Amino acid sequence: MYPRVSWTVEADITACFDNLSRRHIMAGLQRRIADGKILSLVARCLAVGYMENWQYHRTYSGVAQGGILSPLLSNIALLQLDRYVINELGANRPQTPEEERRRVSPAFYKLNGAIAAARKQLRSRVSRAQRHVILDKLQGLEQQRKRAPRLVRPHPTKLGYVRYADDLVLQVNGTKADAAAAKDLLKTQLATIGLELNEEKTKLTHWSKPVAFLGYHLQGRMRTRAGSVKAIVHIPRKKERQGKRIWFKNLNEIK
């Protein structure tokens, strides 16, 4: 069997919003925006500071959490990371039709051909007795196909990449050592934009174990016939209880 995902890098960026480089953000904006007034306004938003106990505090790095521009500005800063993982490391590259064809087992192709031929026979003029024979043969072929392994080669793409704000995961088609190497590359690239990977919270998790992402648990389950991994989404009990409380509260308010 050749699962597309073997290990997952659950990456955690240390205080991402607090440590985002304003220089990188402004440089990214200047590559697309020429209006100096807009750039000046964004720069002032970055340096706005915050109030605590009616006392003003200046900030010298990062973006304000909860600020109206913060999600957009954080995406601009992390776009360099996205481009590196996708363009340089080749993450999320789809397989070509030729690559997909070469991955399929010749025995599986042969069974597909035999099934197609049997179905073609059924559409022709055959006697009742012949029809029963063909149907029995077709049923046997379909049972064989269900048990036959479909893939004989691994997926050509070694990395899958998903990021939402500062939450990101790397899916690695390889060994645990390959996952560790991918994590190190991620760490090095984050350093170029002034961010640091939290070594204590960053985990290497096998695809068969739950992975926490955006408040949900994701887990891989092998499809025995297809030789691929099916993603299973679990809602944590805590989240489920919170959702029920909110639902019942809203229901009572409507009544």
Side-chain angles (χ1 to χ4, degrees), residues 132-191:
H132 283 299
V133 172
I134 296 170
L135 283 171
D136 289 340
K137 178 184 177 181
L138 181 60
Q139 186 178 10
L141 289 170
E142 289 177 341
Q143 290 296 326
Q144 289 181 51
R145 187 172 65 173
K146 286 181 180 179
R147 295 190 296 269
R150 182 175 179 270
L151 303 178
V152 293
R153 294 189 181 187
H155 196 284
T157 304
K158 297 298 182 183
L159 286 178
Y161 174 68
V162 181
R163 181 181 68 82
Y164 185 89
D166 59 336
D167 290 329
L168 62 95
V169 293
L170 271 179
Q171 297 173 321
V172 182
N173 181 1
T175 64
K176 188 175 183 179
D178 294 331
K183 186 200 77 170
D184 291 340
L185 290 172
L186 192 66
K187 178 181 178 180
T188 302
Q189 183 61 26
L190 281 171

Side-chain angles (χ1 to χ4, degrees), residues 176-207:
K176 188 175 183 179
D178 294 331
K183 186 200 77 170
D184 291 340
L185 290 172
L186 192 66
K187 178 181 178 180
T188 302
Q189 183 61 26
L190 281 171
T192 65
I193 55 176
L195 296 174
E196 183 180 352
L197 199 65
N198 189 324
E199 292 284 355
E200 293 183 1
K201 293 184 178 180
T202 298
K203 304 174 184 177
L204 304 182
T205 308
H206 192 262
W207 60 265

Side-chain angles (χ1 to χ4, degrees), residues 80-91 159 185 189:
Q80 185 175 330
L81 175 68
D82 299 341
R83 286 175 172 168
Y84 170 76
V85 176
I86 292 172
N87 298 333
E88 301 297 327
L89 302 186
L159 286 178
L185 290 172
Q189 183 61 26

